[in-house]
Amino acid sequence: MDDSLVDRSGSPSPPKVTPAMTAKTVFRFALLGFASLPVLVAYQLVLYVGAVSVFGPIPTTGPRAQIISVLSLGLGTLTLAVAYLKYSDREWSFVDLRFPTLRDVGWALGGFVILLLGFVAITSLINALGLSTAQHSTAQQAQQGDPALLLPLIPLSLLVIGPGEELLYRNVIQKSLYDHFSRVGAVVVASAIFALVHIPAYATGGGVGAMATSLAVIFVLALVLGGVYARTDNVLVPAFIHGAYNALSFAATYVDLTNTPVENAIVTLATLV
């Protein structure tokens, strides 16, 4: 054996990590993250055709279309997570899913507050710098005359969006990166991938600069989610924070656009689902 590969204790030294190896690792997991986009579209098509065959014509925009889109996201992220576990020969124990402890609950509530404060802080900084942000495509549709499409997203944020995205981007991608980076490094890389995957959702208006600013906001918020997951090793914790944050955002946007009392919004939601 080459003496350069053996340390003083006689044990083989780990292979040297080169920049090329690091770049290859990041690229591989970025591909996994971006794979959610075509998989989501495929599920959307299948679910839409199935829904039309059962319920008749369904508008391509509006509340019911949003339900199909979110269910597609959930199925897409779950499919990729399962495929990765099988491809990498990992056991189901790799999924950090357990009943929350009191510590987990504390991190969930504290993380939610930190996420809100982080959003306020970075938004204030953006305003102070005179920068503009791009709107999410869903918010654009709501603002252009169909705010009701936001209503099904409120419960689905907690039930599908938060759990689905956190399973893939935190439990699969971030946790897998622990083998190649420090935990802090894995959080940063996974957060960058998560932000970049949102490019299509923010590329429909506002220009490149505004889109870049919005992605920077998502990156900062993802750092919070990744940090909480790294501290708890329970995917339910960031899933709750993510889902609750999105639900609050959709609800606030709906109330702002319609000037509808919260209790009336709940009644309207019940008639849509």
Side-chain angles (χ1 to χ4, degrees):
M1 178 183 294
D2 187 347
D3 289 342
S4 64
L5 298 179
V6 180
D7 62 22
R8 293 180 180 179
S9 65
S11 301
S13 300
K16 182 180 180 181
V17 178
T18 65
M21 292 170 60
T22 300
K24 183 178 179 180
T25 297
V26 172
F27 180 72
R28 179 158 55 93
F29 284 104
L31 282 181
L32 179 61
F34 275 92
S36 63
L37 300 178
V39 173
L40 185 154
V41 171
Y43 271 118
Q44 271 185 314
L45 179 60
V46 172
L47 291 181
Y48 184 80
V49 171
V52 168
S53 66
V54 174
F55 302 106
I58 296 176
T60 55
T61 60
R64 290 175 177 81
Q66 284 298 320
I67 292 174
I68 291 174
S69 178
V70 172
L71 292 179
S72 300
L73 183 150
L75 289 170
T77 52
L78 178 61
T79 297
L80 286 175
V82 171
Y84 175 77
L85 292 177
K86 183 176 181 180
Y87 171 77
S88 60
D89 294 325
R90 297 186 186 274
E91 301 293 334
W92 282 106
S93 58
F94 187 77
V95 178
D96 292 322
L97 184 63
R98 67 170 188 274
F99 191 81
T101 63
L102 286 177
R103 178 176 178 272
D104 292 333
V105 173
W107 272 106
L109 297 177
F112 180 64
V113 173
I114 292 172
L115 198 67
L116 292 178
L117 293 176
F119 176 76
V120 171
I122 192 170
T123 301
S124 299
L125 176 61
I126 288 171
N127 291 334
L129 295 175
L131 301 175
S132 60
T133 57
Q135 279 190 320
H136 192 284
S137 56
T138 300
Q140 291 181 35
Q141 293 178 34
Q143 195 171 42
Q144 291 168 2
D146 196 8
L149 63 83
L150 296 170
L151 290 175
L153 297 179
I154 298 172
L156 289 174
S157 292
L158 288 162
L159 298 174
V160 179
I161 298 175
E165 292 192 339
E166 293 307 303
L167 172 64
L168 179 60
Y169 293 98
R170 244 59 66 180
N171 199 155
V172 169
I173 293 178
Q174 178 177 311
K175 185 176 180 179
S176 297
L177 288 170
Y178 292 163
D179 295 335
H180 309 275
F181 299 90
S182 66
R183 287 216 168 192
V184 173
V187 169
V188 172
V189 173
S191 297
I193 293 172
F194 181 73
L196 292 174
V197 168
H198 284 77
I199 288 176
Y202 288 89
T204 56
V208 176
M211 181 185 69
T213 303
S214 294
L215 296 182
V217 174
I218 294 173
F219 172 70
V220 172
L221 299 182
L223 289 176
V224 176
L225 295 170
V228 169
Y229 172 65
R231 293 301 298 254
T232 61
D233 291 323
N234 186 352
V235 72
L236 287 180
V237 179
F240 165 78
I241 298 171
H242 188 160
Y245 173 83
N246 279 13
L248 179 61
S249 176
F250 290 133
T253 302
Y254 178 80
V255 172
D256 181 59
L257 291 176
T258 62
N259 295 315
T260 301
V262 175
E263 58 271 19
N264 291 351
I266 295 174
V267 173
T268 304
L269 172 61
T271 66
L272 295 171
V273 296

